[in-house]
Amino acid sequence: MFIREMTEEECIALLSAERLARLACAKDNQPYVVPVYYAYAGKCLYAFSMPGQKIEWMRANPHVCVQVDGLVTGKQWRSVVAYGRYQELPDTARWHRECLHAWSLLEKHVNWWEPGDSVRQAGVISGVDPGRHDQAAFGVI
């Protein structure tokens, strides 16, 4: 097995190519990890979710971590971990443009709305810099 650190360009390519991430958040020193579908653009990860535990926890503690894998072969994979900050994008005049942008990116992909198909909430992890794991943000519309 050969392990090496990926370049920023390789990290961005992986984030751009994949659609499924694991989102980690924490509340009261308790971690929580869930899969989320996302779209990547402009150093932001956009995701869609229904209200629930992850939204509640990210509202209480906006510090998040996202991990994305890409399978190269049966025995080779690539993985990106980015730390960030959750930023909710409510359906208000202030966030309208960002909400439309997130929606337009997400709807380009099949089943982008699963599993949160009942309530229109989307999100953004913005400021993602794969070269600097301390910069990023996550949000919801």
Side-chain angles (χ1 to χ4, degrees):
M1 177 184 281
F2 178 70
I3 299 174
R4 70 171 179 82
E5 188 170 332
M6 294 168 56
T7 66
E8 181 174 349
E9 291 77 22
E10 290 172 320
C11 292
I12 290 170
L14 181 62
L15 291 172
S16 298
E18 297 300 326
R19 299 291 162 248
L20 181 65
R22 278 119 190 120
L23 167 68
C25 54
K27 181 178 172 191
D28 301 327
N29 293 320
Q30 178 66 43
Y32 182 59
V33 178
V34 292
V36 294
Y37 285 114
Y38 73 92
Y40 176 80
K43 296 199 176 199
C44 297
L45 294 181
Y46 295 90
F48 172 82
S49 181
M50 293 173 49
Q53 182 173 328
K54 69 181 167 291
I55 300 298
E56 176 188 325
W57 285 30
M58 290 186 298
R59 284 175 177 165
N61 176 5
H63 300 283
V64 297
C65 180
V66 175
Q67 186 265 332
V68 175
D69 290 319
L71 189 62
V72 178
T73 68
K75 294 183 179 180
Q76 290 181 306
W77 67 90
R78 293 176 179 225
S79 184
V80 171
V81 175
Y83 294 90
R85 179 173 289 276
Y86 170 79
Q87 173 61 61
E88 191 155 341
L89 304 176
D91 193 10
T92 64
R94 177 177 180 221
W95 292 102
H96 184 70
R97 180 175 279 173
E98 190 74 21
C99 291
L100 291 177
H101 178 64
W103 215 253
S104 71
L105 293 169
L106 289 165
E107 71 182 357
K108 291 178 183 178
H109 307 287
V110 176
N111 298 335
W112 63 271
W113 43 265
E114 291 180 351
D117 64 347
S118 301
V119 177
R120 184 177 184 231
Q121 288 208 34
V124 59
I125 299 180
S126 62
V128 172
D129 183 348
R132 290 203 47 206
H133 299 297
D134 62 336
Q135 294 182 354
F138 188 86
V140 245
I141 301 173

